[in-house]
Amino acid sequence: MRKWMFKMRGGLWTLLFVFMLIISRAPSFSQIVYGLVFILAGQLWRIWSAGTIGLYRGENVKALKLSTTGPYALMRNPLYFGNFMIGFGWAVIAGLNAVIVFVISFILIYVYAIIPHEEEFLRGKFGSEYESYCERVKRFWPVRLNTKDIHSKIDVNVIMRSEIHTVISTVAGTCIILAVSIYKGA
C-alpha cells in the first residue's frame, strides 16, 4: 500500500487539492495574505531542497547519495515540508474546513504512508549511515542547528529540470484556488 501511495503521490495531491476547491469558502483579505505567505515560503523551501538533493522525481524511490546538507541538515523531509506549507497556504485561502481536511489528509498520506516507504528504502540502501542521520535530524522539526551543514551546493540544473514542474503547478493551483474561493464569495 505504501509503495502504491508513493507512486500515486501526485494524483493523491491533486485529489486533495480538488477536494479543497469543492469545500472552499470566500476568503477574507487576511486569509489570502497569510495563505500566499505560506505558499511562497513553501515553494522557496522546495526550490532550495530540490537544488540540494541532486536527484528526485519519479514513481519509485531512488537516491544516489544520502543528502544531509542544506535543508536536509535541518529536517529529513524538506520537500514534503515544502509541500505541506504550499497545501496549508491553499487551505488557509479555502477556509477552516479545508485546513482541517488538509492537515488530517497530509498526516495520513505522507506521515503514515509515503515517508515510511522512503525511510525503508533509505535504511536498506544506506544502513548505519542513515540510522546515524536519523538520530541527528528529525523528520520535520529541527532539534539543533548545525550551521556548517546548512551550506550546500545548489544544482540549478536539477531545479530547472525537476522543480519547474512544481513551480508551475503551485502558481496554477494558487490562481485556481483564489479564483474559485473569491468567486464563491461574489
Side-chain angles (χ1 to χ4, degrees):
M1 179 69 157
R2 288 177 172 169
K3 184 177 183 177
W4 178 85
M5 290 182 85
F6 178 86
K7 190 178 278 196
M8 300 303 296
R9 67 194 185 281
L12 293 169
W13 184 254
T14 302
L15 286 174
L16 183 54
F17 176 80
V18 169
F19 191 70
M20 284 193 294
L21 280 177
I22 292 168
I23 64 173
S24 67
R25 300 284 181 254
S28 67
F29 179 74
S30 62
Q31 280 177 267
I32 293 171
V33 171
Y34 290 129
L36 291 175
V37 167
F38 275 103
I39 293 164
L40 180 61
Q43 188 58 69
L44 291 173
W45 188 262
R46 276 193 57 90
I47 289 169
W48 183 31
S49 302
T52 302
I53 198 170
L55 170 71
Y56 85 106
R57 287 254 184 242
E59 292 184 1
N60 298 308
V61 181
K62 57 188 170 198
L64 299 176
K65 67 179 182 75
L66 184 61
S67 297
T68 61
T69 61
Y72 293 88
L74 300 174
M75 62 183 66
R76 296 194 314 256
N77 296 283
L79 284 166
Y80 292 138
F81 182 75
N83 285 355
F84 177 83
M85 290 177 64
I86 293 165
F88 187 77
W90 287 340
V92 166
I93 293 169
L96 180 60
N97 291 339
V99 169
I100 293 167
V101 166
F102 174 76
V103 170
I104 292 170
S105 298
F106 189 90
I107 290 169
L108 292 174
I109 294 167
Y110 287 89
V111 175
Y112 289 115
I114 293 172
I115 291 171
H117 176 66
E118 286 187 4
E119 288 175 339
E120 183 179 322
F121 169 83
L122 294 169
R123 206 169 263 112
K125 182 161 186 173
F126 299 107
S128 61
E129 180 186 5
Y130 181 71
E131 292 298 335
S132 175
Y133 173 62
C134 289
E135 289 174 15
R136 292 187 322 270
V137 180
K138 300 301 176 201
R139 276 184 172 171
F140 290 112
W141 304 114
V143 174
R144 58 191 140 191
L145 185 59
N146 185 347
T147 55
K148 79 174 180 68
D149 290 337
I150 288 182
H151 302 289
S152 61
K153 181 182 176 199
I154 295 176
D155 188 339
V156 176
N157 291 324
V158 171
I159 293 168
M160 295 308 294
R161 187 176 61 251
S162 298
E163 191 60 15
I164 195 70
H165 169 269
T166 304
V167 171
I168 292 168
S169 297
T170 299
V171 169
T174 302
C175 291
I176 291 168
I177 203 113
L178 278 168
V180 168
S181 296
I182 291 169
Y183 175 77
K184 286 184 175 187

